[in-house]
Amino acid sequence: MSCKVSAMVGRPRSEAARKAILRAALDLCARDGYQNVTMKGIAQAAGSGRQTVYRWWQTKAQVLLESLTGVLAEEVPEVPETGDARADLVTFLERTFVLAQGVAGQVVTGLMADAQSDPGLAAELREKIITPRRAALRSILARGAVPGDVDLELAVDLVYGAMWYRLLNRHAEVNTDLAEEIAGLLGRIR
Amino acid sequence: MSCKVSAMVGRPRSEAARKAILRAALDLCARDGYQNVTMKGIAQAAGSGRQTVYRWWQTKAQVLLESLTGVLAEEVPEVPETGDARADLVTFLERTFVLAQGVAGQVVTGLMADAQSDPGLAAELREKIITPRRAALRSILARGAVPGDVDLELAVDLVYGAMWYRLLNRHAEVNTDLAEEIAGLLGRIR
Amino acid sequence: MSCKVSAMVGRPRSEAARKAILRAALDLCARDGYQNVTMKGIAQAAGSGRQTVYRWWQTKAQVLLESLTGVLAEEVPEVPETGDARADLVTFLERTFVLAQGVAGQVVTGLMADAQSDPGLAAELREKIITPRRAALRSILARGAVPGDVDLELAVDLVYGAMWYRLLNRHAEVNTDLAEEIAGLLGRIR
Amino acid sequence: MSCKVSAMVGRPRSEAARKAILRAALDLCARDGYQNVTMKGIAQAAGSGRQTVYRWWQTKAQVLLESLTGVLAEEVPEVPETGDARADLVTFLERTFVLAQGVAGQVVTGLMADAQSDPGLAAELREKIITPRRAALRSILARGAVPGDVDLELAVDLVYGAMWYRLLNRHAEVNTDLAEEIAGLLGRIR
DNA sequence: ACGTAATCGAGACGGTACGTCGCGTCTTGCG
DNA sequence: CGCAAGACGCGACGTACCGTCTCGATTACGT
């Protein structure tokens, strides 16, 4: 998108540095926790200069958001329509929850925290991470996992809500059992 | 409990300062957002010395946790048993959600964020805020708002999860309508 | 001098506390050095309250000035007139220098330092410590240790100056040898 | 001397900041007195960050020692050998005392005070300020201002001692008259 | 003997400087 | 001109000491 025709002089952006930074941010987040990650630390761990990070991202949240996008893109929980609505739902949730148990959980949790005081980040987070997955879950639910007259937005809130709640509060795990249990309970709605 | 009989020498703790600090913390949180509150700022706003804050609390999270406790204690959502399980549930959720829409939402959200990197705070938060309210909701649900064989812990996760999800992600309001909707959906479980 | 006739009600001043404070100040000064002595530390070491110290002295300098006065009063270097002017001078200087090598040196050095930024203390220090000793040295010198037409004030400056210089700069000891050497050099003035 | 050939990466030290800090320290010392100078104040007055001061100096004493070195280097009291030993001595002392009456006196006095509780500073002060000037005075005296068999170290102690004594105790000025008087008295030693 | 009043200890109070750390920006030389 | 290195101005951190204050307890005097 940038550097269309004119100019394009000087040394080009180092793709190696970009990847190193995204990777370093992820690793540090896994090791020290999101809140303890710093721009300085990211640059250091990536073996890059501080300015190189700031040149392409404004905040650590943006770095980690892009890191996260990379992680999630590798394994998007797209579920083929098998005809069994509940099985599809379970499959979707299982895949989602497995991701949430890994670094992605760490990152997305931290991003959500930062988003509380950064409306721009909040919007970006919703746009790039939350909303697409809400839409995916909604379409799965629409296959018949809940009765047709149920408010799907509310159902999505309940399901993802439970996941977020457990991710943040850690009173219980977000594992494959939860997928089954949620699907089971939704299936009892008449 | 403390300072029962013996000892109790020296100048006693200033209750005025304590209240001023708790109040200032709350006000700052409402004005600037949890993440932008600082110990220095709290002390300044409370017209107290920095050491006075640190003498009684170790972190801003602890200050705000106590502030929050004060706020929540004023209006505990205890619901009399009317016999109508669903009505009780709605009442409980409405009261809960009204609180969540105010400063308490700001604070509890920030505390949850901090708790991600502070296990001690996480435990305290669960113990003092989360768990009691989970128990309250659970007992309300047990009055018959959901069928007897439903896993109440899971039901609590779904309900509070939806609230937390909306509080954090702000894709929808946490208002009295939500109370009705949730109660309605739970009521359809067979 | 104080509390002449009227009033004089209430609990009388604790002489024990006064002595303990003066003693503690001196001990701390010897142990930690003048600059590291604090009012809090003095009170603690004396087993007294902070206010008790502040009630009777305004600054640590005043406490230590009184402590010092006590020390110096114990052994005032008054020299009997033996007829041998030089011997009298040596005796006086030896006694003076012995005192200077002890805690008194520590204290007076620190007081002098503080006096640089506290004109009141400077005046008090001159009045109570410096001037009396200058007068004493001057009268000894006037016995014939230097020719009669020598400016005695200048001579005093040279002698006490050498002592102070060595006390502060520590490039050489202030010992009895110095007394002999100074007396010898003054004796060569014609 | 430093940063000779290799390395020398990163942004170079700001000479402007360095000079501003040294200057600010000096100004504050002249205005508020050595004891009231703070690292925070120096940084503020210099328009620099606190860390920038700490990066290059550990204490305010070190800052002011370097400031002082700058001041003294501007006008080193080097005296050409005129053949008249006493005249040379008077010239040297006059130049010395003029400096001592200015800010340099303030600073060196404060440094000496701090040196009482900081052996490292004491050594540095002796090495960089005291000893070179002692050597200079000694060589002047050796030109014949005092008889050849007089202990020059002692003579230096007496002369500089008088200066220091007056600087600290302020019972008399350190002016050009003093230079004449001291030279006169030394000239009477046989 | 008993109230009055100033003392005592202890320690919390509002301040402020300390020295450290992370921020986001800047200024170098090298590739 | 991108990039590493790292110094820069800034400001919050948690600590220490300042001098003041507020407690309960103690100790003399003047009724």
Side-chain angles (χ1 to χ4, degrees):
Chain A
M1 57 185 75
S2 62
C3 318
K4 273 257 194 53
V5 274
S6 68
M8 194 53 181
V9 289
R11 181 172 174 176
R13 173 176 181 179
S14 161
E15 189 58 26
R18 180 181 163 276
K19 282 179 179 165
I21 289 166
L22 291 175
R23 178 58 190 264
L26 217 53
D27 290 350
L28 287 177
C29 198
R31 180 156 62 85
D32 305 333
Y34 179 92
Q35 337 283 341
N36 298 319
V37 174
T38 67
M39 287 296 251
K40 183 178 186 178
I42 292 172
Q44 220 151 34
S48 83
R50 212 116 62 90
Q51 195 57 45
T52 303
V53 183
Y54 280 110
R55 209 185 322 272
W56 307 109
W57 300 275
Q58 280 72 53
T59 62
K60 73 166 178 180
Q62 294 197 357
V63 179
L64 280 162
L65 183 54
E66 189 164 335
S67 292
L68 179 64
T69 306
V71 170
L72 296 182
E74 289 173 9
E75 189 178 350
V76 190
E78 285 194 30
V79 173
E81 191 153 1
T82 63
D84 181 345
R86 180 182 154 162
D88 289 357
L89 174 59
V90 169
T91 305
F92 177 85
L93 291 181
E94 282 178 345
R95 293 185 183 171
T96 300
F97 293 172
V98 164
L99 278 174
Q101 282 181 291
V103 212
Q106 278 263 1
V107 177
V108 91
T109 280
L111 288 172
M112 189 61 93
D114 267 11
Q116 302 308 309
S117 61
D118 180 347
L121 172 62
E124 212 167 348
L125 184 59
R126 274 196 299 273
E127 181 198 341
K128 294 189 178 162
I129 306 289
I130 305 289
T131 305
R133 275 145 223 287
R134 283 182 66 87
L137 173 56
R138 185 186 167 125
S139 80
I140 303 273
L141 290 174
R143 290 178 193 174
V146 292
D149 62 339
V150 163
D151 180 344
L152 287 184
E153 288 300 305
L154 178 61
V156 167
D157 282 350
L158 291 170
V159 175
Y160 270 136
M163 179 191 75
W164 277 101
Y165 187 32
R166 290 192 174 192
L167 279 179
L168 293 160
N169 197 50
R170 298 183 192 288
H171 60 278
E173 276 189 44
V174 178
N175 53 22
T176 49
D177 288 353
L178 180 61
E180 285 283 1
E181 290 164 19
I182 288 177
L185 195 54
L186 291 185
R188 294 176 62 181
I189 297 175
R190 294 289 170 261
Chain B
M1 51 199 74
S2 63
C3 316
K4 269 252 199 57
V5 273
S6 67
M8 196 48 185
V9 288
R11 180 175 175 173
R13 173 174 185 178
S14 161
E15 192 57 26
R18 181 180 161 275
K19 283 178 180 164
I21 289 166
L22 292 176
R23 178 58 189 265
L26 216 53
D27 290 351
L28 288 176
C29 198
R31 178 156 63 84
D32 305 332
Y34 178 93
Q35 336 284 339
N36 298 319
V37 174
T38 66
M39 287 295 250
K40 183 178 186 176
I42 292 172
Q44 217 150 36
S48 86
R50 214 115 67 87
Q51 196 58 55
T52 300
V53 184
Y54 282 110
R55 190 173 294 117
W56 304 109
W57 300 276
Q58 280 71 54
T59 62
K60 72 166 177 179
Q62 293 198 358
V63 179
L64 281 162
L65 182 53
E66 190 164 335
S67 292
L68 179 63
T69 305
V71 171
L72 296 181
E74 288 173 8
E75 191 178 349
V76 189
E78 282 194 33
V79 174
E81 192 153 0
T82 63
D84 181 345
R86 180 181 154 164
D88 289 357
L89 174 60
V90 169
T91 306
F92 178 85
L93 290 181
E94 283 178 343
R95 294 186 183 170
T96 301
F97 293 172
V98 163
L99 278 174
Q101 281 182 293
V103 213
Q106 279 264 0
V107 176
V108 90
T109 279
L111 288 173
M112 189 61 93
D114 267 11
Q116 301 309 309
S117 61
D118 180 347
L121 171 62
E124 214 167 346
L125 184 58
R126 275 195 299 274
E127 181 199 342
K128 295 189 177 162
I129 306 289
I130 306 288
T131 304
R133 277 147 219 286
R134 284 182 65 87
L137 174 56
R138 186 187 165 123
S139 80
I140 303 272
L141 290 175
R143 291 179 192 174
V146 292
D149 62 339
V150 163
D151 181 344
L152 288 183
E153 288 302 303
L154 179 60
V156 167
D157 282 349
L158 290 169
V159 175
Y160 269 136
M163 178 191 76
W164 276 101
Y165 187 31
R166 290 192 174 192
L167 279 179
L168 293 161
N169 197 50
R170 299 183 191 286
H171 58 279
E173 276 188 47
V174 177
N175 53 23
T176 49
D177 288 352
L178 181 61
E180 286 282 1
E181 290 163 19
I182 288 177
L185 195 55
L186 291 186
R188 294 175 64 182
I189 297 174
R190 296 287 171 261
Chain C
M1 56 192 74
S2 63
C3 319
K4 273 255 193 55
V5 274
S6 68
M8 194 52 183
V9 289
R11 179 174 176 173
R13 173 176 183 180
S14 161
E15 190 58 24
R18 181 180 161 275
K19 283 179 179 165
I21 289 166
L22 291 176
R23 179 58 190 264
L26 216 53
D27 290 351
L28 287 176
C29 198
R31 179 156 63 85
D32 304 334
Y34 179 93
Q35 336 284 338
N36 299 318
V37 174
T38 66
M39 287 296 251
K40 184 178 185 178
I42 292 172
Q44 220 151 33
S48 83
R50 212 116 62 92
Q51 195 57 45
T52 302
V53 184
Y54 281 108
R55 205 183 329 267
W56 306 110
W57 299 275
Q58 279 72 54
T59 63
K60 74 165 176 179
Q62 294 197 357
V63 178
L64 280 162
L65 183 55
E66 189 164 335
S67 292
L68 179 64
T69 304
V71 171
L72 296 182
E74 288 174 8
E75 192 179 347
V76 189
E78 285 194 30
V79 174
E81 193 154 359
T82 63
D84 183 343
R86 180 179 154 166
D88 288 359
L89 175 59
V90 169
T91 305
F92 177 85
L93 291 181
E94 283 178 344
R95 292 186 185 171
T96 301
F97 292 173
V98 164
L99 278 173
Q101 282 181 293
V103 212
Q106 280 263 2
V107 177
V108 90
T109 279
L111 289 172
M112 188 62 92
D114 266 12
Q116 302 308 310
S117 62
D118 181 346
L121 172 61
E124 213 168 347
L125 184 58
R126 274 196 299 273
E127 181 198 341
K128 294 189 179 163
I129 306 289
I130 306 288
T131 304
R133 277 145 218 287
R134 284 182 65 88
L137 175 56
R138 185 186 166 125
S139 79
I140 304 272
L141 290 175
R143 291 179 192 173
V146 291
D149 63 338
V150 163
D151 182 344
L152 287 184
E153 288 300 307
L154 178 61
V156 167
D157 281 351
L158 290 169
V159 175
Y160 268 137
M163 179 192 75
W164 276 101
Y165 187 31
R166 289 190 174 193
L167 278 179
L168 293 160
N169 197 49
R170 297 182 194 285
H171 59 279
E173 276 189 45
V174 177
N175 53 23
T176 50
D177 289 352
L178 180 61
E180 287 282 0
E181 289 163 21
I182 288 178
L185 194 55
L186 291 186
R188 294 176 63 181
I189 297 176
R190 296 287 169 260
Chain D
M1 53 195 72
S2 64
C3 317
K4 271 254 195 56
V5 273
S6 66
M8 194 52 184
V9 290
R11 179 174 177 175
R13 173 174 184 179
S14 162
E15 192 58 25
R18 182 182 160 273
K19 284 178 180 163
I21 289 166
L22 291 176
R23 178 57 190 264
L26 217 53
D27 290 351
L28 287 176
C29 198
R31 179 156 63 85
D32 304 333
Y34 179 92
Q35 335 284 340
N36 298 318
V37 175
T38 67
M39 287 295 250
K40 184 177 185 178
I42 292 172
Q44 217 150 35
S48 86
R50 214 116 65 89
Q51 195 59 53
T52 300
V53 184
Y54 282 109
R55 205 187 322 276
W56 306 109
W57 300 276
Q58 279 70 54
T59 62
K60 73 166 176 177
Q62 293 198 357
V63 178
L64 280 163
L65 183 55
E66 190 164 334
S67 292
L68 179 64
T69 305
V71 170
L72 297 181
E74 288 174 8
E75 191 179 347
V76 188
E78 283 193 32
V79 174
E81 192 153 0
T82 63
D84 182 345
R86 180 181 155 163
D88 287 359
L89 175 60
V90 169
T91 306
F92 177 85
L93 290 181
E94 282 178 343
R95 293 187 184 169
T96 301
F97 292 173
V98 164
L99 278 173
Q101 282 181 293
V103 212
Q106 279 262 359
V107 177
V108 90
T109 279
L111 288 173
M112 189 61 92
D114 268 10
Q116 302 309 309
S117 62
D118 180 346
L121 172 61
E124 215 167 345
L125 184 58
R126 276 195 298 272
E127 182 198 341
K128 295 188 177 162
I129 306 288
I130 306 289
T131 304
R133 278 147 219 286
R134 285 182 64 89
L137 174 56
R138 187 187 165 123
S139 79
I140 303 272
L141 290 175
R143 291 179 192 175
V146 291
D149 63 338
V150 163
D151 181 344
L152 288 182
E153 288 300 306
L154 178 61
V156 167
D157 281 351
L158 289 170
V159 175
Y160 268 136
M163 179 191 74
W164 276 101
Y165 187 31
R166 289 191 175 192
L167 279 178
L168 292 161
N169 198 50
R170 298 184 193 285
H171 58 279
E173 276 189 46
V174 177
N175 53 23
T176 50
D177 289 351
L178 180 61
E180 286 284 0
E181 290 162 19
I182 288 177
L185 195 55
L186 291 185
R188 294 175 64 182
I189 297 176
R190 294 288 172 260

